[in-house]
Amino acid sequence: MAKHPVIGLLGGGQLGRMLQEAASPLNVELAILDAAGSPAKQICENAKHVAGSFNDPAKIRELAARVDVLTVEIEHVNADVLEEIATKGVSVGAGRPLKKVPCHPSWETIRLIQDKYLQKEHFLREGIPVAPQMAVEGDSLTIEALQAVGDKYGFPFMLKARKGSYDGRGNFQVRGPADFDEAIRSMGKLSLYAEKFQPFVKELSVMVVRTEDDDGNLRDVHPYPAVETVHEDSICTKVFLPPRGVQAEACEQACKVASNVIRTLKGRGVYAVEMFVLKDGGIVVNEVAPRPHNSGHLFTEAVPYMSQFKAQLCAILDIFPGKVTLQPRVESAIMLNILGGAEEESHDKLVDIASRSYDTNMDVYIHLYGKASKPGRKIGHITVTSSAANIASLEQLAGSLTKEVDSV
Ligand code: ATP
Ligand code: MG
Ligand code: MG
């Protein structure tokens, strides 16, 4: 790879913006493919940026021709084009040989993860614990087909879009036969699968850094500590480090499972492994995101020497310190998502309070993404940390801020 490699990034949202924030001190150049004025482009000028969609084959090729390696901030990208560029190459001018540009994570991983059903079939084959699932025909989704799922898995069960879902959009909880009509109406046109409902007591997430040599052989996997994620209406709203009321052994186990999951995938970078913890302490893997993730935001402050974004860059460039332990430098941390409210300015008061917040027992960090506010849209987040308070005490200290977040 070139001495000062240029990383091409598909997607310029908030994850790209925070990747850019980590890239600057390393003097790593990012060329971004997304619309002009996207959150990541707002904070870095670069003649190598490409304006357009991260799903447009021609635009992806244009970006690839300008960079040394490709990465993504979103998994819903065109994996076929990434495969073509990595294996056959991309044109860099008439009469010149095609240039092969690798993608991290691998296009194979991106393709696998895009289809949540195939993703979990893969984990099942690899001996990773996942919820029972079955494919159902979206085009011919019938009451009989839904009843058959109910007979097998009981109610409620989850009906999920195989592709394209995020923040729970693409998920439908079928509580009983009364929901069948609505399920068919809202989901019937999608490619679907059904999943057994998991009566979890906690949701955990573990970010894992995967390093590889130039031949794609696994060097190592490095898990961050497990965090607790809280979802409201299927969207992540809060993250707690360490998880509240979860034994240290269960957290260790979650890190082990997550590391095993990432050993089965291909490509350098950070990955998020979302998991359910059941009443008996059992762990079930929900899904993987092959990129920096909302649940890893608090490591920017909690593990200040290695944010998930720096980890992504270091892994891709193969300069990740192999001995790093990823141990937090704080006792506890909480991440609160700022979601757009009913009005454009619904979150203004919260931002004002969080920006002015000062407390000797708690550090408050605000991150705004430069996005227009829409109801339920992730437009920023707040991280609070404490070097002395445990997670229960920090939750109390952050109580009034949390109340403001909830009221947006
Ligand atoms: P993301 O934004 O994380 O990509 P997504 O749209 O892919 O979300 P999932 O992760 O499948 O959606 O589900 C969102 C949330 O819905 C989960 O975090 C969990 O709270 C709940 N959920 C999903 N599947 C199940 C299940 N089988 N049993 C119980 N709850 C579930
Ligand atoms: Mg998902
Ligand atoms: Mg999820």
Side-chain angles (χ1 to χ4, degrees):
M1 202 169 282
K3 186 143 190 302
H4 294 291
V6 183
I7 300 180
L9 174 65
L10 277 68
Q14 67 263 26
L15 298 174
R17 184 172 168 118
M18 291 183 270
L19 196 67
Q20 176 60 48
E21 285 167 5
S24 298
L26 296 172
N27 200 23
V28 168
E29 196 181 350
L30 282 192
I32 298 162
L33 167 56
D34 207 334
S38 62
K41 286 187 178 178
Q42 287 169 20
I43 64 161
C44 76
E45 262 295 315
N46 191 330
K48 294 184 183 118
H49 287 336
V50 177
S53 161
F54 47 74
N55 258 313
D56 180 340
K59 296 289 181 183
I60 300 173
R61 291 188 195 104
E62 195 180 329
L63 179 75
R66 299 175 184 187
V67 304
D68 300 294
V69 56
L70 289 165
T71 190
V72 299
E73 65 137 36
I74 178 167
E75 54 275 26
H76 307 302
V77 298
N78 190 321
D80 293 347
V81 179
L82 293 175
E83 175 182 8
E84 170 200 295
I85 291 167
T87 57
K88 296 195 186 111
V90 65
S91 168
V92 285
R96 297 177 61 188
L98 297 182
K99 178 177 82 165
K100 287 185 186 171
V101 184
C103 182
H104 290 289
S106 158
W107 49 269
E108 289 171 86
T109 297
I110 293 172
R111 180 180 290 150
L112 178 71
I113 281 178
Q114 277 174 352
D115 187 322
K116 286 164 82 175
Y117 175 74
L118 294 183
Q119 179 193 149
K120 298 231 299 303
E121 288 295 297
H122 163 81
F123 294 149
L124 203 58
R125 281 194 299 274
E126 295 286 347
I128 307 284
V130 291
Q133 60 172 5
M134 61 168 120
V136 286
E137 285 299 325
D139 284 345
S140 56
L141 186 62
T142 57
I143 286 179
E144 291 71 33
L146 289 169
Q147 187 58 55
V149 179
D151 291 344
K152 189 152 182 214
Y153 293 158
F155 294 103
F157 65 83
M158 300 297 294
L159 196 58
K160 295 190 176 186
R162 288 170 65 146
K163 290 191 170 181
S165 64
Y166 67 100
D167 290 347
R169 292 164 216 217
N171 284 3
F172 189 104
Q173 193 186 121
V174 182
R175 290 162 300 183
D179 287 341
F180 288 173
D181 284 342
E182 177 62 18
I184 292 169
R185 203 164 34 245
S186 65
M187 305 284 284
K189 295 216 162 47
L190 303 168
S191 176
L192 298 172
Y193 72 104
E195 198 174 278
K196 190 167 181 183
F197 188 81
Q198 301 300 295
F200 58 82
V201 292
K202 284 280 174 200
E203 286 191 85
L204 299 183
S205 172
V206 175
M207 301 297 310
V208 181
V209 187
R210 180 184 163 103
T211 55
E212 289 180 356
D213 66 18
D214 285 337
D215 298 321
N217 301 308
L218 175 69
R219 263 195 225 288
D220 225 335
V221 285
H222 303 267
Y224 282 84
V227 298
E228 174 190 351
T229 56
V230 175
H231 293 78
E232 293 165 60
D233 295 331
S234 285
I235 185 165
C236 175
T237 55
K238 299 177 180 74
V239 175
F240 295 84
L241 172 77
R244 297 165 303 170
V246 179
Q247 300 286 333
E249 296 77 44
C251 292
E252 283 296 314
Q253 180 60 17
C255 289
K256 270 196 196 132
V257 171
S259 298
N260 286 340
V261 167
I262 299 313
R263 282 192 185 94
T264 75
L265 299 175
K266 289 184 185 170
R268 298 168 174 164
V270 297
Y271 297 77
V273 183
E274 299 179 7
M275 285 165 280
F276 303 126
V277 184
L278 305 178
K279 214 169 170 185
D280 64 2
I283 283 174
V284 174
V285 171
N286 175 27
E287 63 166 347
V288 169
R291 52 170 171 79
H293 190 253
N294 201 171
S295 64
H297 287 353
L298 50 65
F299 294 120
T300 298
E301 288 86 11
V303 184
Y305 53 94
M306 188 57 76
S307 72
Q308 60 167 338
F309 301 101
K310 183 176 173 188
Q312 173 78 348
L313 298 167
C314 291
I316 291 173
L317 300 176
D318 202 20
I319 54 170
F320 189 81
K323 290 205 170 79
V324 78
T325 56
L326 302 175
Q327 280 315 298
R329 292 291 193 252
V330 294
E331 191 59 32
S332 58
I334 301 173
M335 193 278 328
L336 306 166
N337 269 338
I338 306 176
L339 304 178
E343 314 290 335
E344 176 83 34
E345 57 281 351
S346 298
H347 59 282
D348 286 359
K349 183 169 163 232
L350 165 67
V351 169
D352 190 50
I353 292 172
S355 311
R356 293 162 188 264
S357 255
Y358 180 74
D359 188 313
T360 49
N361 299 310
M362 167 178 87
D363 293 325
V364 180
Y365 304 86
I366 186 156
H367 298 257
L368 295 172
Y369 304 153
K371 285 162 81 171
S373 175
K374 283 188 198 156
R377 190 180 201 199
K378 290 174 182 166
I379 50 176
H381 73 268
I382 298 164
T383 302
V384 297
T385 65
S386 173
S387 53
N390 64 20
I391 190 68
S393 306
L394 180 62
E395 195 179 358
Q396 281 196 337
L397 284 169
S400 56
L401 210 50
T402 307
K403 229 182 187 166
E404 281 301 330
V405 170
D406 290 340
S407 71
V408 170

